[in-house]
Amino acid sequence: MATDPHSGRLDKEHLGARVGRLSRRVEELKGEVCTMINKKYVEFLPSMRGAEELVTQVEGLASNIDQLKAHIENEVQRDLNVAGAEFTELKQQLERDTLVLSVLKKLQEFDTAVKEFHSALLEEQYVAAAQQLEKARSSLRTLESRKGFELKVLKALGKELVVQTQNIIYHLWQEWQKLIVWKLPPSKGSSSLEAVVLSELHLHTVPAQDKDTAVPPMQAVLQALAVLGELHYKLKDFGHFLLQYILKPLILHPSLEPVSEEQPDVFILRFRSQELALDEASPMEVFDKIKLVFEVLQKCLLNVALEQPGEGRVTLAELLGELIWEELSDCLIHNCLVKSIPTNSSKLEQYKEVIKSTEEFEKALKKMQFLKEDTTALLKYACNVNSHFANKKCQDVIMAARSLMTSEIHNTVKITPDSSVALPELPDPGSGDHLKMHRASPLHSGLVNLGSESRLSPLTLSLPTCRISSSVQQLVQLAYHTLLEATASTDLCCLQLFNCVRDVFQLFCEVVPTYHRETLQKLPQLAAIHHNNCMYIAHHLLTLGHQFRYSSAGVLSSVAVTFVDLVPGFRRLGVECFLAQMRVQKGEILERLSSARNFSNMDDEENYRAANKAIKQVLHQLRRLGMVWQDVLPVNVYCKAMGTLLNTALAEIVTRIVALEDISAEDADRLYSLCRTMVEEGPQVFTPLLEEDKNKKYQEEVPVYVQNWMTFKELMIILQANLQEIVDQWADGKGPLAKEFSAAEVKSLIRALFQNTERRAAALAKIK
């Protein structure tokens, strides 16, 4: 068959004309569709018939474009070498028209989806309505992604989508409120038993018998919420209410008991309060109550299966569990399991029941699909009971110790060398015998045998009689009992309790001086008691670790169990506090003696009265101290302290008198009278014991404790002696006077007491 050389050109021209006509028609149709969409979604004008005609026209035009596109491709393939550029241009123009047409199709799909959404919503077909709305949303996203087609109508379509989304959500939430009804107490924020017992949950999740629906209302509502992505927020609110008004009250109030009631179209969950409930419910009881609640929810709500976008098919129990399990498990641990941890190692064996109950509780929740298979937070906590026991025991010990440290110091008990303390009976080193606790095991019983003949007193190395705070005695007993508990525990727990006891004693060094700082500075008696407290603790720390070293074959026997390193710190703490009080008392003594006008011109009546008053005040201060320290300080410490203070007064008086340049006979007599008062009444301040007759011994031993006692008495002799007697007392530097005073001091006194005569010069010459 002959081929016309001009046929290709004619076909090309024919195709060009057709493409041109189609392009013009596409533009016309685009304008008509946009006008229709604009009227419907912007101006809200009814145009159903016109929309249907436009749909028919779009479909017809799309068919023509497809035929023309196929014809162009055939022509291009046949005459590619003749007119490639012309046919390519025609094809590109046709593709642009195709793209415009695809946009028009998406607009058509959006409009169709919105119409079907309205129909489904009117018929309460919530799942279908939600799905149509999501189709419309998908079409709108496609339109918005088309570059070069920034249609103004898209903004109106977006607003329409938001309005209809809120419309269906409002309907779904209305349905939700009909299905799940909370009846809460008037004071919603209150967590008291009287308030929470009024809470009720009504679940209208069972369709009435006369209703015949393909999908139960609850599942339809939930599935629609899932399609719209709103289920998470609704479940979160439900979980919050469930925790606050049902689950947490059951954990926190042991007297509450859940009660379920089933009626034809509703499940009711409420509380019943038991009259004689324990202060704390056991974990087993709490777990049973929580399981009952979940069984009711599982029966009528949580067993609903849903198609979750991006996750596949899941049950409501799984979704709710992910939202509330973390908070629920924390509440169960801190308000139930923690309180069930034993406080005594002997009860650890009984805790296996709690572990078993916890395991069964988790299995039950996993069976309901509330928990994932790998979730074991509660069981892990319960199984780690030894660590929790040690932590709880340490916490209780620290809290008890701190309470004792901040209690009043002045409540005291008397400690004697033969005091009995409730201490453990220790086995022989290496014997492996277990520790036994006796009601009262004396610290010292009988003589200690060091060989065939040598024997030590039973009071060797014992603490002298004194008074300590009853709180400190309890603190030491707490340390012993904690270490005794440690010996019966696992190695890890044992070490933790041992370190806890060390922490207690270190805490004492920080808390007591800080908490009681003001009273320790102001009150001499409390300073003395604190001194005794520190010495008492140090005394026990010397042997505390060794007593438990061989108490068991555990870890304590293989590590350095000792508290000896803490002893110097406690002794220093007690001594520093008491010395600070001694410095305060010394300052007061010197301040009072400073008002004696240097003991000069005693022949002046006013000066004499001032000096006499100062002496009386010092003696009164010493007597007061003697009374507040009486029966408190150990006798040797008491005597040293009183001796030091009396010595301070005597040394100051001696210094002032020796410094006088002129002492008349009348001055000397009055100075002697003042000194005699000190000598006569000074020993009377030594009253370490309550029994008066026993104090005489210590009053007679004043020279032992008062360093300047003999110096003071020698000064009194000088004040009443003549020159010859002074020279005799000096005895060429070998007499008693020479032991107490230097030659310069004696010469100064002679010059002050005697006039300048040959006899005085001769006496001065002999003092060298």
Side-chain angles (χ1 to χ4, degrees):
M1 187 176 78
T3 302
D4 186 353
H6 301 288
S7 64
R9 183 180 302 171
L10 291 172
D11 285 343
K12 174 178 73 88
E13 292 174 354
H14 176 65
L15 286 174
R18 289 185 63 187
V19 168
R21 288 196 299 273
L22 281 174
S23 295
R24 287 192 297 275
R25 184 60 187 142
V26 165
E27 288 300 320
E28 292 171 2
L29 195 58
K30 174 181 173 182
E32 292 175 12
V33 170
C34 288
T35 301
M36 185 273 292
I37 292 292
N38 190 60
K39 286 181 179 180
K40 183 173 183 179
Y41 294 105
V42 179
E43 300 173 7
F44 305 105
L45 298 176
S47 54
M48 180 62 69
R49 181 177 300 173
E52 291 175 350
E53 292 175 357
L54 285 176
V55 169
T56 304
Q57 292 180 35
V58 167
E59 290 175 349
L61 192 57
S63 176
N64 290 336
I65 287 177
D66 290 340
Q67 294 175 6
L68 187 56
K69 186 176 180 182
H71 184 56
I72 288 175
E73 288 177 350
N74 291 334
E75 291 296 325
V76 170
Q77 290 294 329
R78 188 179 60 188
D79 299 321
L80 185 61
N81 296 327
V82 179
E86 291 84 346
F87 282 106
T88 300
E89 183 180 349
L90 289 174
K91 185 177 180 182
Q92 288 174 350
Q93 183 179 350
L94 193 60
E95 286 175 350
R96 285 195 295 272
D97 294 340
T98 304
L99 186 58
V100 172
L101 192 61
S102 69
V103 171
L104 298 179
K105 281 186 176 180
K106 287 298 177 183
L107 288 173
Q108 172 203 339
E109 290 174 6
F110 180 92
D111 183 61
T112 303
V114 171
K115 284 192 295 184
E116 292 181 2
F117 160 77
H118 284 297
S119 300
L121 190 61
L122 286 173
E123 298 173 4
E124 296 186 355
Q125 300 292 328
Y126 296 118
V127 177
Q131 289 171 343
Q132 291 300 325
L133 202 59
E134 287 304 302
K135 283 183 181 179
R137 195 186 313 278
S138 175
S139 298
L140 184 59
R141 287 198 196 99
T142 303
L143 290 171
E144 290 173 342
S145 66
R146 300 287 190 185
K147 294 183 179 179
F149 292 92
E150 299 177 358
L151 301 178
K152 294 180 181 179
V153 75
L154 294 184
K155 189 174 182 181
L157 297 181
K159 288 182 179 179
E160 176 70 11
L161 195 61
V162 171
V163 170
Q164 297 308 325
T165 300
Q166 294 304 315
N167 185 18
I168 189 174
I169 288 175
Y170 171 77
H171 282 81
L172 291 173
W173 283 24
Q174 290 292 105
E175 293 291 339
W176 177 278
Q177 290 176 352
K178 294 176 186 176
L179 295 168
I180 299 176
V181 180
W182 287 96
K183 294 191 176 181
L184 303 176
S187 53
K188 292 184 180 180
S190 176
S191 59
S192 64
L193 180 62
E194 293 76 12
V196 297
V197 77
L198 301 176
S199 302
E200 291 185 10
L201 173 60
H202 292 225
L203 298 171
H204 300 268
T205 55
V206 181
Q209 300 298 325
D210 57 347
K211 279 192 177 181
D212 185 17
T213 55
V215 181
M218 171 59 77
Q219 185 168 0
V221 170
L222 294 174
Q223 184 62 64
L225 286 170
V227 171
L228 295 170
E230 294 291 323
L231 183 60
H232 172 84
Y233 304 107
K234 207 64 202 165
L235 269 185
K236 189 175 182 180
D237 290 340
F238 175 76
H240 173 73
F241 276 78
L242 186 66
L243 281 170
Q244 184 173 354
Y245 296 106
I246 301 291
L247 300 177
K248 285 187 176 180
L250 286 174
I251 299 171
L252 299 175
H253 300 287
S255 62
L256 284 183
E257 185 176 310
V259 179
S260 64
E261 179 183 344
E262 184 175 355
Q263 296 180 3
D265 62 343
V266 63
F267 278 98
I268 300 175
L269 192 62
R270 60 166 64 95
F271 290 124
R272 179 173 60 207
S273 181
Q274 298 172 323
E275 290 293 331
L276 301 174
L278 299 174
D279 292 337
E280 293 181 5
S282 68
M284 288 77 80
E285 294 173 346
V286 174
F287 291 157
D288 288 341
K289 295 176 184 178
I290 301 295
K291 274 195 290 187
L292 177 61
V293 172
F294 279 116
E295 285 168 359
V296 172
L297 294 176
Q298 178 73 9
K299 185 176 181 180
C300 53
L301 176 64
L302 299 184
N303 60 344
V304 176
L306 304 171
E307 288 293 337
Q308 186 78 345
E311 297 181 20
R313 197 165 184 80
V314 295
T315 63
L316 200 62
E318 293 178 67
L319 299 176
L320 184 63
E322 292 177 359
L323 290 172
I324 70 170
W325 174 243
E326 183 177 355
E327 188 174 350
L328 177 60
S329 61
D330 284 345
C331 186
L332 283 168
I333 288 173
H334 293 106
N335 296 287
C336 181
L337 290 179
V338 166
K339 294 179 179 179
S340 70
I341 298 294
T343 55
N344 193 298
S345 58
S346 61
K347 297 180 181 179
L348 284 174
E349 190 68 24
Q350 302 173 10
Y351 198 76
K352 289 182 179 178
E353 296 179 12
V354 176
I355 297 175
K356 183 179 178 182
S357 177
T358 305
E359 186 176 10
E360 292 173 353
F361 176 67
E362 285 193 345
K363 283 182 179 178
L365 295 186
K366 289 174 182 177
K367 188 176 180 181
M368 299 177 197
Q369 294 184 303
F370 182 79
L371 292 185
K372 294 180 179 179
E373 287 299 323
D374 58 348
T375 304
T376 56
L378 288 182
L379 187 59
K380 283 181 180 178
Y381 185 90
C383 290
N384 200 15
V385 63
N386 286 321
S387 175
H388 300 317
F389 163 73
N391 291 335
K392 184 176 182 180
K393 185 71 178 178
C394 291
Q395 184 179 6
D396 291 345
V397 168
I398 292 292
M399 290 178 64
R402 187 174 181 84
S403 176
L404 291 171
M405 293 173 198
T406 54
S407 61
E408 296 296 338
I409 296 178
H410 60 73
N411 297 323
T412 60
V413 293
K414 194 168 186 176
I415 298 296
T416 60
D418 57 348
S419 295
S420 296
V421 186
L423 299 179
E425 184 181 90
L426 305 177
D428 294 333
S431 66
D433 294 340
H434 290 290
L435 213 60
K436 295 179 181 179
M437 193 69 180
H438 288 264
R439 185 176 58 83
S441 175
L443 202 57
H444 310 286
S445 56
L447 300 179
V448 182
N449 191 357
L450 295 182
S452 58
E453 296 180 0
S454 302
R455 292 174 183 270
L456 290 177
S457 164
L459 303 183
T460 302
L461 302 178
S462 63
L463 195 70
T465 301
C466 63
R467 282 195 170 273
I468 64 168
S469 300
S470 57
S471 59
V472 168
Q473 186 184 45
Q474 294 170 31
L475 186 69
V476 172
Q477 289 175 351
L478 177 66
Y480 273 103
H481 294 157
T482 305
L483 288 175
L484 184 65
E485 190 84 46
T487 59
S489 305
T490 61
D491 286 353
L492 182 64
C493 180
C494 181
L495 282 177
Q496 199 166 344
L497 290 176
F498 169 73
N499 289 326
C500 175
V501 174
R502 285 186 63 90
D503 292 342
V504 165
F505 289 121
Q506 290 171 345
L507 189 66
F508 182 94
C509 296
E510 302 296 331
V511 171
V512 175
T514 304
Y515 186 84
H516 298 283
R517 178 184 289 113
E518 189 173 347
T519 54
L520 291 177
Q521 290 173 349
K522 290 182 178 180
L523 303 177
Q525 187 181 53
L526 295 192
I529 294 172
H530 177 62
H531 166 271
N532 295 348
N533 290 343
C534 293
M535 295 304 168
Y536 177 78
I537 294 175
H539 177 74
H540 280 278
L541 290 180
L542 284 170
T543 58
L544 183 59
H546 301 291
Q547 293 178 67
F548 294 91
R549 177 77 180 274
Y550 303 102
S551 57
S552 68
V555 68
L556 291 183
S557 61
S558 59
V559 297
V561 181
T562 181
F563 295 88
V564 174
D565 56 308
L566 302 178
V567 172
F570 271 91
R571 288 177 175 169
R572 183 168 56 251
L573 185 66
V575 168
E576 286 178 353
C577 175
F578 192 66
L579 287 180
Q581 186 60 231
M582 288 287 289
R583 286 191 291 271
V584 171
Q585 298 302 325
K586 281 184 179 182
E588 291 183 5
I589 288 173
L590 295 176
E591 184 179 355
R592 289 186 168 94
L593 289 176
S594 66
S595 64
R597 302 187 182 182
N598 293 326
F599 295 95
S600 62
N601 300 324
M602 286 294 100
D603 52 350
D604 185 298
E605 195 63 33
E606 189 176 343
N607 287 357
Y608 176 72
R609 279 200 302 271
N612 188 52
K613 181 181 178 182
I615 293 293
K616 294 294 185 183
Q617 287 178 338
V618 168
L619 289 171
H620 175 74
Q621 177 184 344
L622 292 175
R623 275 192 293 269
R624 181 174 58 83
L625 281 175
M627 293 301 295
V628 299
W629 287 344
Q630 184 183 63
D631 197 44
V632 173
L633 286 170
V635 172
N636 64 325
V637 177
Y638 177 97
C639 291
K640 287 179 181 178
M642 295 303 298
T644 300
L645 294 175
L646 180 57
N647 185 72
T648 298
L650 297 183
E652 180 67 11
I653 294 172
V654 169
T655 302
R656 296 292 178 89
I657 293 176
V658 170
L660 295 175
E661 295 181 356
D662 184 27
I663 303 174
S664 66
E666 187 177 353
D667 288 346
D669 290 339
R670 289 195 166 183
L671 287 172
Y672 178 82
S673 175
L674 294 174
C675 292
R676 185 176 61 196
T677 301
M678 289 295 295
V679 170
E680 290 175 354
E681 298 185 24
Q684 303 303 315
V685 302
F686 284 76
T687 54
L689 304 176
L690 293 173
E691 300 84 354
E692 284 294 331
D693 55 332
K694 293 183 179 180
N695 288 328
K696 291 182 180 179
K697 171 188 175 184
Y698 305 105
Q699 293 170 0
E700 293 170 357
E701 294 176 351
V702 167
V704 177
Y705 305 110
V706 183
Q707 183 180 355
N708 287 312
W709 184 258
M710 295 308 298
T711 303
F712 196 76
K713 296 196 76 172
E714 286 297 322
L715 176 63
M716 291 176 64
I717 292 173
I718 293 176
L719 291 174
Q720 291 293 296
N722 55 38
L723 283 171
Q724 186 57 46
E725 288 173 341
I726 293 173
V727 171
D728 292 342
Q729 283 290 105
W730 181 259
D732 295 328
K734 298 177 183 178
L737 184 58
K739 292 181 181 179
E740 307 301 333
F741 290 97
S742 65
E745 289 173 332
V746 174
K747 287 180 179 181
S748 176
L749 283 170
I750 290 174
R751 291 190 181 100
L753 287 166
F754 301 98
Q755 294 181 354
N756 188 8
T757 62
E758 292 181 0
R759 290 182 62 195
R760 191 185 80 170
L764 289 172
K766 293 179 180 179
I767 306 298
K768 54 184 178 180

